[in-house]
Amino acid sequence: MKTTSIAAAAAAAALALLAATGAHADGHYVPGVEGIQAASVPPPGMYYLGYLVNYNIDDFRAPGSSTNLPGHNSGTVTALANRFVWITGHKLLGADYGVEAIVPLVRTSLTINAAGISDSRSGVGDIYLGPLVLGWHGPQWDAVAAAGMWFDTASTSHPASAGKGFKSTMLTGGLTYYFDGAKTLSGSALMRYEFNGRNSAGVRPGDQLTLEWGLGKSFGAVSAGLVGYSQWQTTNDDGAGASTNKAARHAVGAELVYPVPGAGVFLKGAVYKEFSATAGTGPQPKGSLVRFTLVKAF
């Protein structure tokens, strides 16, 4: 009983610190939004990509461990990430050059009894601007490189607020390879690295590396395959209450891609289940993710 009380008190203290400082235990980028052919940049043109994501949190890992916080703790995050991409007709380093922006709309509900937190909030999340998108295309491969910044534009005043409270510079690189000349069988890997800045309380969350992968097969117009993601915290948190513990999580799932002929639209759906999660300085959520994507070419 005494050990359980100590664990609960430690968990509550860590969560209270996070709520007060806005120091979330992860970066801005949400894994699982890309899957099959994740590293393939479309041809020149204007594109809208709408990612509707529902992340259902089954539990929270206790700070510095892979065990759950005591008591009943759960949450739901529903987001519509509106991504606007313009691939210009210009070349840079032999690649198609483009720019992009992401404006997320977020609804978060948290019930964390270990810290006495019960909160639900909706709002516009932190905005991303990417002035550099490069897409290369070979006979049986595609590659991408990109750079941009997440801005701390959203609110952080409550535990379920949409903002992170800090800026992040994000670098992207990836490769899609087609195993046959007809491009019916593909494998892809997309990596994003976030260099996190400090928040108003002087806390700097550790940098984050995200890997999204997919193995896809085309069946005529429809494609399906296995997908997954992994995230690793690569550097220590810095500031008041920080520790040397690093967060990580891993998931696997499946995706289906269905084009709408004549409308310039692709519909994608995917489900993921996180099978491993380890917390860093703060608690780490573990759950399942469902994602629907609409891609519209103009």
Side-chain angles (χ1 to χ4, degrees):
M1 179 67 70
K2 182 177 180 180
T3 301
T4 302
S5 299
I6 294 173
L15 284 161
L17 172 66
L18 291 174
T21 63
H24 294 248
D26 56 358
H28 284 89
Y29 185 73
V30 177
V33 297
E34 302 291 356
I36 299 172
Q37 299 178 12
S40 298
V41 175
M46 298 286 294
Y47 300 88
Y48 167 76
L49 298 90
Y51 304 92
L52 180 60
V53 177
N54 181 264
Y55 180 54
N56 187 55
I57 302 169
D58 300 323
D59 255 307
F60 288 86
R61 299 303 204 197
S65 75
S66 57
T67 59
N68 293 333
L69 288 171
H72 174 70
N73 309 287
S74 62
T76 302
V77 181
T78 302
L80 174 61
N82 300 283
R83 183 182 180 191
F84 306 91
V85 181
W86 176 32
I87 305 300
T88 71
H90 301 288
K91 294 285 187 178
L92 180 62
L93 301 177
D96 293 331
Y97 169 73
V99 297
E100 63 179 334
I102 301 174
V103 182
L105 306 176
V106 185
R107 170 70 176 176
T108 302
S109 296
L110 298 175
T111 301
I112 309 175
N113 291 330
I117 292 176
S118 180
D119 190 32
S120 296
R121 303 286 164 179
S122 299
V124 179
D126 292 335
I127 293 174
Y128 175 81
L129 297 178
L132 181 67
V133 178
L134 299 177
W136 292 268
H137 306 281
Q140 289 184 222
W141 58 270
D142 298 315
V144 63
M149 176 169 283
W150 292 95
F151 292 88
D152 53 343
T153 54
S155 171
T156 60
S157 56
H158 298 88
S161 293
K164 295 291 184 180
F166 55 87
K167 298 181 179 69
S168 297
T169 299
M170 186 170 75
L171 303 181
T172 298
L175 177 69
T176 297
Y177 182 76
Y178 301 94
F179 296 95
D180 60 333
K183 297 185 176 182
T184 63
L185 185 62
S186 65
S188 65
L190 183 70
M191 300 187 74
R192 301 188 190 271
Y193 194 91
E194 294 175 80
F195 298 90
N196 294 325
R198 293 186 183 276
N199 63 16
S200 59
V203 176
R204 191 186 78 83
D207 296 341
Q208 178 172 276
L209 174 65
T210 302
L211 169 65
E212 296 174 283
W213 57 267
L215 296 172
K217 171 66 177 175
S218 296
F219 303 92
V222 178
S223 298
L226 296 175
V227 291
Y229 63 77
S230 292
Q231 279 190 324
W232 300 272
Q233 181 181 338
T234 59
T235 63
N236 294 336
D237 295 341
D238 183 66
S243 73
T244 58
N245 300 313
K246 294 184 177 67
R249 56 176 167 166
H250 310 276
V252 67
E255 182 179 39
L256 180 68
V257 181
Y258 182 79
V260 180
V265 171
F266 280 84
L267 302 176
K268 305 179 181 182
V271 293
Y272 296 82
K273 179 64 177 178
E274 293 182 341
F275 60 87
S276 175
T278 303
T281 298
Q284 173 68 47
K286 179 179 181 291
S288 56
L289 184 145
V290 178
R291 181 252 302 164
F292 296 98
T293 306
L294 182 148
V295 182
K296 169 63 179 175
F298 296 95

